[in-house]
Short mmCIF file of all heavy atoms in Angstrom, two decimals:
data_model
loop_
_atom_site.label_atom_id
_atom_site.label_comp_id
_atom_site.label_asym_id
_atom_site.label_seq_id
_atom_site.Cartn_x
_atom_site.Cartn_y
_atom_site.Cartn_z
N MET A 1 16.64 -40.29 -7.56
CA MET A 1 16.59 -39.31 -6.49
C MET A 1 15.41 -38.35 -6.74
O MET A 1 15.31 -37.77 -7.81
CB MET A 1 17.91 -38.55 -6.42
CG MET A 1 18.02 -37.68 -5.21
SD MET A 1 19.61 -36.87 -5.05
CE MET A 1 20.67 -38.24 -4.72
N ALA A 2 14.55 -38.23 -5.78
CA ALA A 2 13.37 -37.36 -5.90
C ALA A 2 13.72 -35.93 -5.49
O ALA A 2 14.59 -35.71 -4.65
CB ALA A 2 12.26 -37.88 -5.02
N VAL A 3 13.04 -34.99 -6.10
CA VAL A 3 13.24 -33.58 -5.75
C VAL A 3 11.92 -33.07 -5.18
O VAL A 3 10.87 -33.21 -5.78
CB VAL A 3 13.64 -32.75 -6.98
CG1 VAL A 3 13.77 -31.29 -6.62
CG2 VAL A 3 14.95 -33.26 -7.55
N ARG A 4 12.01 -32.52 -3.98
CA ARG A 4 10.81 -32.00 -3.32
C ARG A 4 10.90 -30.48 -3.27
O ARG A 4 11.93 -29.93 -2.86
CB ARG A 4 10.71 -32.57 -1.91
CG ARG A 4 9.42 -32.22 -1.21
CD ARG A 4 9.29 -32.92 0.13
NE ARG A 4 10.21 -32.42 1.12
CZ ARG A 4 9.99 -31.33 1.88
NH1 ARG A 4 8.89 -30.64 1.74
NH2 ARG A 4 10.87 -30.96 2.77
N LYS A 5 9.83 -29.82 -3.68
CA LYS A 5 9.81 -28.36 -3.62
C LYS A 5 9.79 -27.90 -2.17
O LYS A 5 9.22 -28.54 -1.32
CB LYS A 5 8.58 -27.82 -4.35
CG LYS A 5 8.63 -28.01 -5.84
CD LYS A 5 7.43 -27.39 -6.49
CE LYS A 5 7.51 -27.54 -7.99
NZ LYS A 5 6.38 -26.89 -8.65
N GLN A 6 10.42 -26.76 -1.94
CA GLN A 6 10.44 -26.18 -0.61
C GLN A 6 9.90 -24.76 -0.68
O GLN A 6 10.05 -24.08 -1.70
CB GLN A 6 11.86 -26.14 -0.06
CG GLN A 6 12.33 -27.50 0.35
CD GLN A 6 12.88 -27.48 1.75
OE1 GLN A 6 14.06 -27.52 1.93
NE2 GLN A 6 12.02 -27.39 2.74
N TYR A 7 9.28 -24.33 0.39
CA TYR A 7 8.64 -23.01 0.43
C TYR A 7 9.04 -22.27 1.70
O TYR A 7 9.37 -22.88 2.71
CB TYR A 7 7.12 -23.16 0.38
CG TYR A 7 6.66 -23.88 -0.86
CD1 TYR A 7 6.51 -25.26 -0.87
CD2 TYR A 7 6.40 -23.17 -2.02
CE1 TYR A 7 6.11 -25.92 -2.02
CE2 TYR A 7 6.00 -23.83 -3.18
CZ TYR A 7 5.86 -25.19 -3.17
OH TYR A 7 5.47 -25.84 -4.30
N LYS A 8 9.01 -20.95 1.61
CA LYS A 8 9.27 -20.10 2.77
C LYS A 8 8.04 -19.24 2.98
O LYS A 8 7.55 -18.61 2.04
CB LYS A 8 10.50 -19.24 2.54
CG LYS A 8 10.83 -18.35 3.72
CD LYS A 8 12.24 -17.86 3.64
CE LYS A 8 12.62 -16.88 4.72
NZ LYS A 8 12.22 -17.16 6.05
N VAL A 9 7.53 -19.25 4.20
CA VAL A 9 6.35 -18.47 4.55
C VAL A 9 6.81 -17.19 5.24
O VAL A 9 7.43 -17.23 6.30
CB VAL A 9 5.41 -19.26 5.50
CG1 VAL A 9 4.19 -18.44 5.85
CG2 VAL A 9 5.03 -20.59 4.89
N ASN A 10 6.54 -16.07 4.61
CA ASN A 10 6.89 -14.77 5.19
C ASN A 10 5.61 -14.11 5.71
O ASN A 10 4.65 -13.95 4.97
CB ASN A 10 7.54 -13.87 4.14
CG ASN A 10 8.85 -14.43 3.66
OD1 ASN A 10 9.74 -14.71 4.44
ND2 ASN A 10 8.96 -14.64 2.36
N ILE A 11 5.66 -13.73 6.98
CA ILE A 11 4.52 -13.06 7.60
C ILE A 11 4.93 -11.64 7.97
O ILE A 11 5.87 -11.45 8.75
CB ILE A 11 4.02 -13.81 8.85
CG1 ILE A 11 3.63 -15.24 8.47
CG2 ILE A 11 2.85 -13.07 9.50
CD1 ILE A 11 3.36 -16.15 9.65
N ASN A 12 4.27 -10.66 7.40
CA ASN A 12 4.55 -9.27 7.70
C ASN A 12 3.74 -8.89 8.94
O ASN A 12 2.54 -8.62 8.87
CB ASN A 12 4.17 -8.39 6.50
CG ASN A 12 4.52 -6.94 6.72
OD1 ASN A 12 4.66 -6.47 7.84
ND2 ASN A 12 4.65 -6.22 5.62
N LEU A 13 4.41 -8.90 10.09
CA LEU A 13 3.72 -8.64 11.36
C LEU A 13 3.24 -7.20 11.49
O LEU A 13 2.36 -6.91 12.30
CB LEU A 13 4.61 -9.04 12.53
CG LEU A 13 4.90 -10.54 12.64
CD1 LEU A 13 5.88 -10.83 13.77
CD2 LEU A 13 3.63 -11.35 12.82
N ALA A 14 3.78 -6.31 10.66
CA ALA A 14 3.31 -4.92 10.67
C ALA A 14 1.90 -4.82 10.07
O ALA A 14 1.11 -3.95 10.44
CB ALA A 14 4.28 -4.02 9.91
N LEU A 15 1.59 -5.72 9.14
CA LEU A 15 0.26 -5.74 8.51
C LEU A 15 -0.71 -6.67 9.23
O LEU A 15 -1.92 -6.48 9.16
CB LEU A 15 0.37 -6.18 7.05
CG LEU A 15 1.15 -5.28 6.10
CD1 LEU A 15 1.25 -5.93 4.73
CD2 LEU A 15 0.50 -3.91 5.99
N CYS A 16 -0.19 -7.66 9.92
CA CYS A 16 -1.00 -8.71 10.55
C CYS A 16 -1.77 -8.15 11.76
O CYS A 16 -1.22 -7.44 12.58
CB CYS A 16 -0.08 -9.83 11.01
SG CYS A 16 -0.89 -11.12 11.96
N LYS A 17 -3.07 -8.52 11.85
CA LYS A 17 -3.86 -8.11 13.01
C LYS A 17 -4.16 -9.29 13.94
O LYS A 17 -5.03 -9.21 14.80
CB LYS A 17 -5.16 -7.44 12.56
CG LYS A 17 -6.12 -8.34 11.85
CD LYS A 17 -7.40 -7.59 11.49
CE LYS A 17 -8.33 -8.51 10.73
NZ LYS A 17 -9.07 -7.85 9.70
N SER A 18 -3.43 -10.40 13.73
CA SER A 18 -3.53 -11.59 14.60
C SER A 18 -4.94 -12.17 14.64
O SER A 18 -5.43 -12.56 15.70
CB SER A 18 -3.04 -11.28 16.01
OG SER A 18 -1.73 -10.77 15.99
N CYS A 19 -5.57 -12.28 13.48
CA CYS A 19 -6.94 -12.81 13.43
C CYS A 19 -6.98 -14.33 13.61
O CYS A 19 -8.00 -14.88 14.02
CB CYS A 19 -7.63 -12.41 12.13
SG CYS A 19 -6.93 -13.17 10.65
N GLY A 20 -5.88 -15.03 13.28
CA GLY A 20 -5.80 -16.47 13.48
C GLY A 20 -6.26 -17.32 12.31
O GLY A 20 -6.19 -18.55 12.37
N ILE A 21 -6.72 -16.70 11.24
CA ILE A 21 -7.19 -17.47 10.10
C ILE A 21 -6.07 -18.34 9.53
O ILE A 21 -6.30 -19.50 9.19
CB ILE A 21 -7.77 -16.54 9.01
CG1 ILE A 21 -9.06 -15.89 9.50
CG2 ILE A 21 -8.01 -17.30 7.70
CD1 ILE A 21 -9.61 -14.80 8.58
N CYS A 22 -4.87 -17.81 9.44
CA CYS A 22 -3.77 -18.55 8.82
C CYS A 22 -3.42 -19.83 9.56
O CYS A 22 -3.27 -20.89 8.95
CB CYS A 22 -2.53 -17.67 8.67
SG CYS A 22 -1.94 -16.95 10.21
N TYR A 23 -3.31 -19.78 10.88
CA TYR A 23 -2.97 -21.01 11.59
C TYR A 23 -4.19 -21.92 11.76
O TYR A 23 -4.04 -23.11 11.97
CB TYR A 23 -2.24 -20.79 12.91
CG TYR A 23 -2.79 -19.79 13.88
CD1 TYR A 23 -3.82 -20.11 14.73
CD2 TYR A 23 -2.22 -18.52 13.99
CE1 TYR A 23 -4.32 -19.19 15.65
CE2 TYR A 23 -2.69 -17.59 14.91
CZ TYR A 23 -3.74 -17.94 15.73
OH TYR A 23 -4.22 -17.03 16.64
N TRP A 24 -5.37 -21.39 11.60
CA TRP A 24 -6.57 -22.22 11.63
C TRP A 24 -6.71 -23.00 10.32
O TRP A 24 -7.09 -24.16 10.32
CB TRP A 24 -7.80 -21.34 11.85
CG TRP A 24 -9.08 -22.09 11.85
CD1 TRP A 24 -9.60 -22.82 12.87
CD2 TRP A 24 -9.98 -22.23 10.75
NE1 TRP A 24 -10.79 -23.38 12.48
CE2 TRP A 24 -11.05 -23.04 11.18
CE3 TRP A 24 -10.01 -21.74 9.45
CZ2 TRP A 24 -12.11 -23.38 10.35
CZ3 TRP A 24 -11.07 -22.07 8.63
CH2 TRP A 24 -12.11 -22.88 9.08
N ILE A 25 -6.34 -22.37 9.20
CA ILE A 25 -6.56 -22.97 7.88
C ILE A 25 -5.38 -23.81 7.39
O ILE A 25 -5.55 -24.65 6.51
CB ILE A 25 -6.91 -21.86 6.85
CG1 ILE A 25 -7.69 -22.43 5.69
CG2 ILE A 25 -5.66 -21.13 6.38
CD1 ILE A 25 -8.32 -21.38 4.80
N CYS A 26 -4.20 -23.65 7.94
CA CYS A 26 -3.00 -24.34 7.46
C CYS A 26 -3.11 -25.86 7.64
O CYS A 26 -3.19 -26.35 8.77
CB CYS A 26 -1.76 -23.83 8.20
SG CYS A 26 -0.24 -24.61 7.63
N PRO A 27 -3.11 -26.63 6.54
CA PRO A 27 -3.31 -28.08 6.64
C PRO A 27 -2.13 -28.82 7.26
O PRO A 27 -2.30 -29.91 7.80
CB PRO A 27 -3.52 -28.52 5.19
CG PRO A 27 -2.83 -27.49 4.37
CD PRO A 27 -2.98 -26.20 5.15
N THR A 28 -0.93 -28.24 7.22
CA THR A 28 0.24 -28.91 7.77
C THR A 28 0.68 -28.31 9.10
O THR A 28 1.68 -28.72 9.66
CB THR A 28 1.42 -28.83 6.78
OG1 THR A 28 1.73 -27.44 6.54
CG2 THR A 28 1.10 -29.52 5.47
N LYS A 29 -0.05 -27.32 9.58
CA LYS A 29 0.29 -26.61 10.83
C LYS A 29 1.70 -26.02 10.79
O LYS A 29 2.38 -25.95 11.79
CB LYS A 29 0.13 -27.52 12.05
CG LYS A 29 -1.29 -28.07 12.21
CD LYS A 29 -2.29 -26.95 12.35
CE LYS A 29 -3.72 -27.46 12.42
NZ LYS A 29 -4.68 -26.47 11.96
N THR A 30 2.09 -25.57 9.59
CA THR A 30 3.36 -24.86 9.44
C THR A 30 3.26 -23.53 10.18
O THR A 30 4.20 -23.11 10.85
CB THR A 30 3.68 -24.62 7.94
OG1 THR A 30 3.83 -25.89 7.31
CG2 THR A 30 4.94 -23.80 7.77
N ILE A 31 2.12 -22.88 10.07
CA ILE A 31 1.87 -21.64 10.81
C ILE A 31 1.15 -22.03 12.09
O ILE A 31 0.13 -22.71 12.07
CB ILE A 31 1.01 -20.65 9.99
CG1 ILE A 31 1.69 -20.33 8.66
CG2 ILE A 31 0.77 -19.37 10.80
CD1 ILE A 31 0.85 -19.46 7.74
N THR A 32 1.70 -21.59 13.21
CA THR A 32 1.12 -21.90 14.51
C THR A 32 0.83 -20.61 15.27
O THR A 32 1.30 -19.54 14.90
CB THR A 32 2.06 -22.79 15.35
OG1 THR A 32 3.30 -22.11 15.53
CG2 THR A 32 2.31 -24.13 14.68
N LYS A 33 0.06 -20.75 16.33
CA LYS A 33 -0.29 -19.61 17.17
C LYS A 33 0.88 -19.29 18.08
O LYS A 33 1.34 -20.13 18.86
CB LYS A 33 -1.53 -19.95 17.99
CG LYS A 33 -2.05 -18.80 18.81
CD LYS A 33 -3.33 -19.20 19.52
CE LYS A 33 -3.92 -18.05 20.29
NZ LYS A 33 -5.19 -18.42 20.91
N GLY A 34 1.36 -18.07 17.97
CA GLY A 34 2.49 -17.64 18.79
C GLY A 34 2.04 -16.75 19.93
O GLY A 34 0.86 -16.74 20.32
N GLU A 35 2.97 -16.01 20.44
CA GLU A 35 2.71 -15.11 21.56
C GLU A 35 1.68 -14.05 21.19
O GLU A 35 1.72 -13.49 20.09
CB GLU A 35 4.03 -14.42 21.94
CG GLU A 35 4.12 -14.04 23.40
CD GLU A 35 5.51 -13.55 23.76
OE1 GLU A 35 6.48 -14.31 23.53
OE2 GLU A 35 5.62 -12.42 24.24
N LEU A 36 0.73 -13.80 22.07
CA LEU A 36 -0.35 -12.83 21.88
C LEU A 36 -1.21 -13.16 20.65
O LEU A 36 -1.80 -12.26 20.04
CB LEU A 36 0.20 -11.41 21.77
CG LEU A 36 0.99 -10.89 22.98
CD1 LEU A 36 1.60 -9.54 22.69
CD2 LEU A 36 0.11 -10.83 24.21
N GLY A 37 -1.25 -14.44 20.26
CA GLY A 37 -2.07 -14.85 19.14
C GLY A 37 -1.48 -14.56 17.78
O GLY A 37 -2.12 -14.76 16.75
N ARG A 38 -0.25 -14.07 17.76
CA ARG A 38 0.41 -13.76 16.49
C ARG A 38 0.88 -15.04 15.82
O ARG A 38 1.36 -15.95 16.48
CB ARG A 38 1.61 -12.84 16.71
CG ARG A 38 1.19 -11.48 17.18
CD ARG A 38 2.32 -10.52 17.09
NE ARG A 38 1.76 -9.30 16.52
CZ ARG A 38 2.47 -8.32 16.06
NH1 ARG A 38 3.78 -8.38 16.07
NH2 ARG A 38 1.89 -7.26 15.56
N PRO A 39 0.75 -15.12 14.51
CA PRO A 39 1.20 -16.32 13.81
C PRO A 39 2.71 -16.42 13.79
O PRO A 39 3.41 -15.40 13.76
CB PRO A 39 0.66 -16.13 12.39
CG PRO A 39 0.52 -14.66 12.23
CD PRO A 39 0.18 -14.13 13.60
N LYS A 40 3.20 -17.66 13.84
CA LYS A 40 4.64 -17.87 13.74
C LYS A 40 4.90 -19.15 12.96
O LYS A 40 4.05 -20.05 12.91
CB LYS A 40 5.31 -17.91 15.10
CG LYS A 40 5.00 -19.12 15.94
CD LYS A 40 5.79 -19.10 17.22
CE LYS A 40 5.57 -20.40 18.00
NZ LYS A 40 6.39 -20.47 19.18
N VAL A 41 6.07 -19.21 12.35
CA VAL A 41 6.48 -20.39 11.59
C VAL A 41 7.70 -20.97 12.29
O VAL A 41 8.73 -20.32 12.41
CB VAL A 41 6.82 -20.03 10.12
CG1 VAL A 41 7.29 -21.26 9.36
CG2 VAL A 41 5.62 -19.40 9.45
N VAL A 42 7.56 -22.22 12.76
CA VAL A 42 8.66 -22.88 13.45
C VAL A 42 9.55 -23.61 12.46
O VAL A 42 10.77 -23.57 12.54
CB VAL A 42 8.13 -23.84 14.53
CG1 VAL A 42 9.26 -24.58 15.21
CG2 VAL A 42 7.29 -23.09 15.55
N ASP A 43 8.93 -24.29 11.48
CA ASP A 43 9.69 -25.09 10.52
C ASP A 43 9.12 -24.90 9.12
O ASP A 43 8.05 -25.41 8.79
CB ASP A 43 9.63 -26.57 10.92
CG ASP A 43 10.49 -27.47 10.05
OD1 ASP A 43 11.23 -26.94 9.19
OD2 ASP A 43 10.42 -28.69 10.23
N HIS A 44 9.84 -24.16 8.29
CA HIS A 44 9.39 -23.88 6.92
C HIS A 44 9.35 -25.14 6.06
O HIS A 44 8.64 -25.19 5.06
CB HIS A 44 10.30 -22.84 6.25
CG HIS A 44 10.17 -21.48 6.84
ND1 HIS A 44 9.23 -20.58 6.40
CD2 HIS A 44 10.84 -20.86 7.84
CE1 HIS A 44 9.33 -19.46 7.09
NE2 HIS A 44 10.30 -19.61 7.97
N LYS A 45 10.09 -26.19 6.44
CA LYS A 45 10.16 -27.42 5.64
C LYS A 45 8.82 -28.16 5.58
O LYS A 45 8.60 -28.96 4.68
CB LYS A 45 11.22 -28.36 6.21
CG LYS A 45 12.62 -27.87 5.96
CD LYS A 45 13.62 -28.88 6.49
CE LYS A 45 14.66 -28.14 7.31
NZ LYS A 45 15.08 -28.79 8.48
N THR A 46 7.92 -27.88 6.50
CA THR A 46 6.63 -28.58 6.50
C THR A 46 5.62 -27.94 5.54
O THR A 46 4.60 -28.55 5.23
CB THR A 46 6.02 -28.61 7.92
OG1 THR A 46 5.84 -27.27 8.37
CG2 THR A 46 6.91 -29.37 8.88
N CYS A 47 5.92 -26.76 5.03
CA CYS A 47 5.01 -26.07 4.11
C CYS A 47 4.94 -26.80 2.78
O CYS A 47 5.97 -27.15 2.19
CB CYS A 47 5.47 -24.63 3.88
SG CYS A 47 4.43 -23.69 2.75
N ILE A 48 3.72 -27.03 2.28
CA ILE A 48 3.52 -27.72 1.00
C ILE A 48 3.19 -26.75 -0.14
O ILE A 48 2.95 -27.16 -1.26
CB ILE A 48 2.42 -28.81 1.12
CG1 ILE A 48 1.09 -28.20 1.56
CG2 ILE A 48 2.88 -29.93 2.04
CD1 ILE A 48 -0.08 -29.17 1.55
N GLY A 49 3.14 -25.46 0.16
CA GLY A 49 2.91 -24.46 -0.87
C GLY A 49 1.49 -24.40 -1.39
O GLY A 49 1.26 -24.03 -2.54
N CYS A 50 0.52 -24.75 -0.57
CA CYS A 50 -0.88 -24.76 -1.01
C CYS A 50 -1.46 -23.35 -1.15
O CYS A 50 -2.47 -23.15 -1.81
CB CYS A 50 -1.74 -25.59 -0.07
SG CYS A 50 -1.96 -24.88 1.58
N LEU A 51 -0.84 -22.38 -0.50
CA LEU A 51 -1.23 -20.96 -0.55
C LEU A 51 -2.56 -20.66 0.14
O LEU A 51 -3.11 -19.58 -0.05
CB LEU A 51 -1.24 -20.42 -1.98
CG LEU A 51 0.06 -20.52 -2.77
CD1 LEU A 51 -0.12 -19.96 -4.17
CD2 LEU A 51 1.20 -19.83 -2.05
N MET A 52 -3.09 -21.60 0.89
CA MET A 52 -4.36 -21.35 1.58
C MET A 52 -4.23 -20.18 2.54
O MET A 52 -5.13 -19.34 2.63
CB MET A 52 -4.83 -22.62 2.30
CG MET A 52 -5.34 -23.68 1.33
SD MET A 52 -5.75 -25.24 2.10
CE MET A 52 -7.13 -24.79 3.14
N CYS A 53 -3.13 -20.10 3.26
CA CYS A 53 -2.94 -19.01 4.22
C CYS A 53 -2.84 -17.67 3.51
O CYS A 53 -3.45 -16.69 3.91
CB CYS A 53 -1.69 -19.26 5.07
SG CYS A 53 -0.16 -19.41 4.12
N GLU A 54 -2.06 -17.65 2.43
CA GLU A 54 -1.88 -16.41 1.67
C GLU A 54 -3.20 -15.91 1.08
O GLU A 54 -3.52 -14.73 1.13
CB GLU A 54 -0.86 -16.64 0.55
CG GLU A 54 -0.48 -15.40 -0.19
CD GLU A 54 0.59 -15.64 -1.23
OE1 GLU A 54 1.62 -16.28 -0.91
OE2 GLU A 54 0.39 -15.19 -2.38
N ASN A 55 -3.98 -16.83 0.54
CA ASN A 55 -5.27 -16.46 -0.07
C ASN A 55 -6.33 -16.08 0.96
O ASN A 55 -7.22 -15.28 0.66
CB ASN A 55 -5.77 -17.59 -0.96
CG ASN A 55 -4.90 -17.79 -2.17
OD1 ASN A 55 -4.31 -16.86 -2.69
ND2 ASN A 55 -4.80 -19.03 -2.62
N ALA A 56 -6.26 -16.64 2.16
CA ALA A 56 -7.28 -16.37 3.17
C ALA A 56 -6.98 -15.14 4.04
O ALA A 56 -7.86 -14.62 4.70
CB ALA A 56 -7.44 -17.58 4.08
N CYS A 57 -5.75 -14.67 4.01
CA CYS A 57 -5.35 -13.55 4.88
C CYS A 57 -6.05 -12.26 4.46
O CYS A 57 -5.84 -11.75 3.36
CB CYS A 57 -3.84 -13.35 4.83
SG CYS A 57 -3.29 -11.99 5.89
N PRO A 58 -6.89 -11.70 5.34
CA PRO A 58 -7.61 -10.47 4.99
C PRO A 58 -6.71 -9.22 4.95
O PRO A 58 -7.11 -8.20 4.39
CB PRO A 58 -8.66 -10.35 6.10
CG PRO A 58 -8.07 -11.07 7.26
CD PRO A 58 -7.24 -12.18 6.67
N ASP A 59 -5.51 -9.33 5.51
CA ASP A 59 -4.61 -8.18 5.58
C ASP A 59 -3.48 -8.25 4.56
O ASP A 59 -2.60 -7.39 4.58
CB ASP A 59 -4.03 -8.06 6.99
CG ASP A 59 -5.11 -7.92 8.02
OD1 ASP A 59 -6.00 -7.07 7.83
OD2 ASP A 59 -5.09 -8.67 9.02
N PHE A 60 -3.46 -9.29 3.71
CA PHE A 60 -2.39 -9.48 2.73
C PHE A 60 -1.01 -9.48 3.40
O PHE A 60 -0.05 -8.94 2.88
CB PHE A 60 -2.45 -8.42 1.61
CG PHE A 60 -3.79 -8.36 0.94
CD1 PHE A 60 -4.71 -7.36 1.26
CD2 PHE A 60 -4.16 -9.32 0.01
CE1 PHE A 60 -5.95 -7.32 0.64
CE2 PHE A 60 -5.40 -9.28 -0.61
CZ PHE A 60 -6.30 -8.28 -0.29
N ALA A 61 -0.95 -10.09 4.58
CA ALA A 61 0.27 -10.08 5.38
C ALA A 61 1.15 -11.31 5.16
O ALA A 61 2.24 -11.39 5.71
CB ALA A 61 -0.08 -9.97 6.86
N ILE A 62 0.68 -12.26 4.35
CA ILE A 62 1.42 -13.51 4.16
C ILE A 62 1.85 -13.65 2.71
O ILE A 62 1.08 -13.43 1.79
CB ILE A 62 0.57 -14.73 4.57
CG1 ILE A 62 0.18 -14.61 6.04
CG2 ILE A 62 1.34 -16.03 4.33
CD1 ILE A 62 -0.76 -15.70 6.52
N ASP A 63 3.12 -14.04 2.55
CA ASP A 63 3.69 -14.26 1.23
C ASP A 63 4.41 -15.60 1.26
O ASP A 63 5.33 -15.79 2.05
CB ASP A 63 4.67 -13.12 0.91
CG ASP A 63 5.27 -13.24 -0.47
OD1 ASP A 63 4.53 -13.58 -1.41
OD2 ASP A 63 6.49 -13.00 -0.60
N VAL A 64 3.98 -16.54 0.42
CA VAL A 64 4.61 -17.86 0.36
C VAL A 64 5.42 -17.92 -0.93
O VAL A 64 4.89 -17.70 -2.01
CB VAL A 64 3.56 -19.00 0.38
CG1 VAL A 64 4.24 -20.35 0.28
CG2 VAL A 64 2.71 -18.91 1.64
N ARG A 65 6.71 -18.21 -0.79
CA ARG A 65 7.61 -18.25 -1.94
C ARG A 65 8.29 -19.61 -2.04
O ARG A 65 8.66 -20.20 -1.03
CB ARG A 65 8.72 -17.20 -1.81
CG ARG A 65 8.24 -15.79 -1.78
CD ARG A 65 7.93 -15.32 -3.15
NE ARG A 65 7.33 -14.00 -3.08
CZ ARG A 65 7.27 -13.19 -4.09
NH1 ARG A 65 7.75 -13.55 -5.25
NH2 ARG A 65 6.70 -12.04 -3.96
N GLU A 66 8.47 -20.07 -3.28
CA GLU A 66 9.22 -21.30 -3.49
C GLU A 66 10.70 -20.98 -3.38
O GLU A 66 11.17 -19.97 -3.91
CB GLU A 66 8.89 -21.88 -4.86
CG GLU A 66 9.50 -23.24 -5.08
CD GLU A 66 9.10 -23.87 -6.41
OE1 GLU A 66 8.09 -23.46 -7.01
OE2 GLU A 66 9.82 -24.78 -6.85
N VAL A 67 11.43 -21.83 -2.68
CA VAL A 67 12.88 -21.67 -2.56
C VAL A 67 13.54 -22.85 -3.25
O VAL A 67 12.88 -23.76 -3.75
CB VAL A 67 13.32 -21.55 -1.07
CG1 VAL A 67 12.83 -20.26 -0.48
CG2 VAL A 67 12.86 -22.73 -0.25
N GLU A 68 14.85 -22.86 -3.27
CA GLU A 68 15.59 -23.92 -3.95
C GLU A 68 15.14 -25.32 -3.52
O GLU A 68 15.00 -25.60 -2.33
CB GLU A 68 17.08 -23.74 -3.67
CG GLU A 68 17.97 -24.58 -4.55
CD GLU A 68 19.43 -24.27 -4.33
OE1 GLU A 68 19.77 -23.08 -4.19
OE2 GLU A 68 20.22 -25.22 -4.31
N ALA A 69 14.92 -26.17 -4.49
CA ALA A 69 14.44 -27.54 -4.22
C ALA A 69 15.48 -28.37 -3.49
O ALA A 69 16.68 -28.14 -3.63
CB ALA A 69 14.05 -28.21 -5.52
N VAL A 70 15.01 -29.34 -2.73
CA VAL A 70 15.89 -30.23 -1.97
C VAL A 70 15.80 -31.62 -2.58
O VAL A 70 14.72 -32.14 -2.83
CB VAL A 70 15.42 -30.28 -0.49
CG1 VAL A 70 16.22 -31.32 0.28
CG2 VAL A 70 15.54 -28.92 0.15
N LYS A 71 16.96 -32.23 -2.81
CA LYS A 71 17.00 -33.58 -3.36
C LYS A 71 16.91 -34.60 -2.23
O LYS A 71 17.57 -34.46 -1.21
CB LYS A 71 18.28 -33.80 -4.17
CG LYS A 71 18.32 -32.97 -5.43
CD LYS A 71 19.58 -33.20 -6.21
CE LYS A 71 19.58 -32.32 -7.45
NZ LYS A 71 20.82 -32.39 -8.17
N GLU A 72 16.05 -35.59 -2.43
CA GLU A 72 15.87 -36.62 -1.43
C GLU A 72 16.19 -37.97 -2.03
O GLU A 72 15.93 -38.22 -3.21
CB GLU A 72 14.42 -36.65 -0.93
CG GLU A 72 14.00 -35.38 -0.24
CD GLU A 72 12.52 -35.43 0.15
OE1 GLU A 72 11.75 -36.15 -0.51
OE2 GLU A 72 12.16 -34.74 1.10
N ASP A 73 16.73 -38.89 -1.22
CA ASP A 73 16.97 -40.25 -1.68
C ASP A 73 15.65 -40.98 -1.77
O ASP A 73 14.86 -40.96 -0.84
CB ASP A 73 17.92 -40.98 -0.73
CG ASP A 73 19.32 -40.39 -0.76
OD1 ASP A 73 19.72 -39.89 -1.82
OD2 ASP A 73 20.00 -40.40 0.29
N ALA A 74 15.41 -41.62 -2.89
CA ALA A 74 14.14 -42.32 -3.10
C ALA A 74 14.17 -43.70 -2.49
O ALA A 74 15.13 -44.31 -2.25
CB ALA A 74 13.83 -42.42 -4.58
#
């Protein structure tokens, strides 16, 4: 049985200025363009934990955290 890491993407909308860098840079499109250009996360399960969004955010508004791993049948 394989174990796959899971991540949760937290976006602090109070700090976010809706620049769009995060949804432009996200390789899995976990972060998408929401209402008024604000980033939103529809499905946290697609996040691979690459931290590209967190590192590219000029406002330090994104925090990616590892959550409990999920066991998958191999």
Side-chain angles (χ1 to χ4, degrees):
M1 189 176 292
V3 177
R4 187 174 70 84
K5 291 183 178 182
Q6 286 231 255
Y7 301 90
K8 181 162 175 44
V9 180
N10 296 305
I11 302 170
N12 184 337
L13 294 176
L15 296 175
C16 175
K17 66 178 178 216
S18 304
C19 67
I21 292 172
C22 56
Y23 49 81
W24 178 80
I25 204 168
C26 181
T28 60
K29 301 301 176 205
T30 297
I31 302 175
T32 59
K33 185 176 183 177
E35 209 172 304
L36 300 174
R38 292 193 136 193
K40 70 176 185 175
V41 179
V42 178
D43 185 6
H44 291 272
K45 288 183 228 141
T46 60
C47 180
I48 59 173
C50 69
L51 302 179
M52 287 174 65
C53 59
E54 187 176 311
N55 293 328
C57 180
D59 302 311
F60 305 102
I62 301 175
D63 182 42
V64 179
R65 298 281 174 161
E66 187 176 340
V67 292
E68 193 174 319
V70 174
K71 293 180 181 174
E72 297 176 333
D73 293 329

